[in-house]
Amino acid sequence: MSRKRKPKRPKDPHAPKRPQSSYFLFMNERRPILKEEHQDKSMTDISKLISAEWKEIGDKTKYENKAAKLKAQYKIDLEEYQKTSNFRKFTAKLEEWKREQRELKEAEQSQSTEVTTNGNGSGSGRKKRGRSKKQESSSEEEESSSEDDGSSSSEESSDGDSSSGDSDDSSSDSSEDDDIKPKKRG
């Protein structure tokens, strides 16, 4: 069963970009240097080298001060942007998206409660969460053997003994539920 991917939260193309952290400033400074020194290494390996260097640096104030200045400038830019019509348009668009998400979530929840409360009797509404492969295979074998019993009971029902065939099926379903219980996590 494939799940639908939720639509992403809309982004405001006119909003100012968030400032980089002190680590990202360091990384952007060191990456080209390390790329030249270690041309044979992958980007992952270079990132690991940068991370190791960052941990070893004792004085990070250069990068932290620069990040603080960028953050202060971002706050000023954001306050100015929030006064524009573009911000108001985006806010309305964002509220619409949030409303749609709430409606989708409510619809999903109502569908999931319908499946669990209005199962068609074949056990399709049950969740198999928490079962091991061994338990799943044994429950599948039991279901297939109960289907075989169901075909013989349908032959009996054509002879006129339909009540005993129906009670056999319901008792096998209840015993099946009693045999397999999910383990409690504690």
Side-chain angles (χ1 to χ4, degrees):
M1 179 174 153
S2 66
R3 289 186 171 185
K4 291 182 182 178
R5 186 174 268 194
K6 286 201 290 189
K8 289 184 178 181
R9 178 185 173 119
K11 293 184 180 177
D12 189 357
H14 304 289
K17 283 189 169 185
R18 294 184 63 119
Q20 292 184 339
S21 68
S22 55
Y23 174 72
F24 271 82
L25 292 170
F26 172 76
M27 184 174 57
N28 288 336
E29 182 181 290
R30 291 294 297 156
R31 188 184 307 117
I33 297 167
L34 289 175
K35 263 185 169 179
E36 278 188 31
E37 291 176 6
H38 305 281
Q39 292 178 354
D40 59 327
K41 299 223 181 223
S42 68
M43 284 302 295
T44 306
D45 292 336
I46 291 174
S47 296
K48 288 177 183 177
L49 291 172
I50 293 170
S51 173
E53 282 184 15
W54 179 253
K55 289 176 184 175
E56 291 175 6
I57 289 180
D59 187 24
K60 299 177 185 178
T61 55
K62 170 186 170 186
Y63 302 102
E64 291 168 348
N65 291 339
K66 193 172 182 182
K69 286 179 186 175
L70 290 173
K71 188 173 183 177
Q73 183 61 44
Y74 170 75
K75 284 184 177 183
I76 294 168
D77 293 344
L78 184 63
E79 287 175 3
E80 289 175 10
Y81 170 71
Q82 289 175 341
K83 298 174 185 174
T84 65
S85 62
N86 284 335
F87 177 73
R88 288 188 292 278
K89 288 177 187 176
F90 174 73
T91 304
K93 184 178 178 181
L94 184 62
E95 289 302 317
E96 175 67 20
W97 178 82
K98 286 179 179 180
R99 185 186 57 76
E100 289 173 1
Q101 293 304 304
R102 280 192 300 270
E103 289 173 0
L104 285 172
K105 189 175 182 179
E106 289 170 2
E108 237 177 54
Q109 288 175 345
S110 66
Q111 285 179 351
S112 67
T113 56
E114 286 176 11
V115 168
T116 55
T117 59
N118 298 334
N120 62 6
S122 65
S124 62
R126 288 183 298 171
K127 294 182 180 179
K128 292 186 178 181
R129 194 176 293 171
R131 292 185 182 178
S132 66
K133 289 182 180 182
K134 186 176 181 181
Q135 288 173 328
E136 284 180 14
S137 64
S138 65
S139 65
E140 289 171 2
E141 290 171 5
E142 289 173 7
E143 286 176 4
S144 65
S145 66
S146 67
E147 288 172 4
D148 293 340
D149 294 341
S151 65
S152 63
S153 66
S154 65
E155 291 171 8
E156 291 172 4
S157 65
S158 65
D159 294 339
D161 190 16
S162 63
S163 63
S164 66
D166 290 340
S167 65
D168 289 342
D169 286 342
S170 63
S171 67
S172 66
D173 285 344
S174 65
S175 66
E176 195 174 295
D177 290 339
D178 293 338
D179 291 342
I180 301 173
K181 293 183 181 177
K183 293 180 180 178
K184 291 184 179 179
R185 295 180 184 166

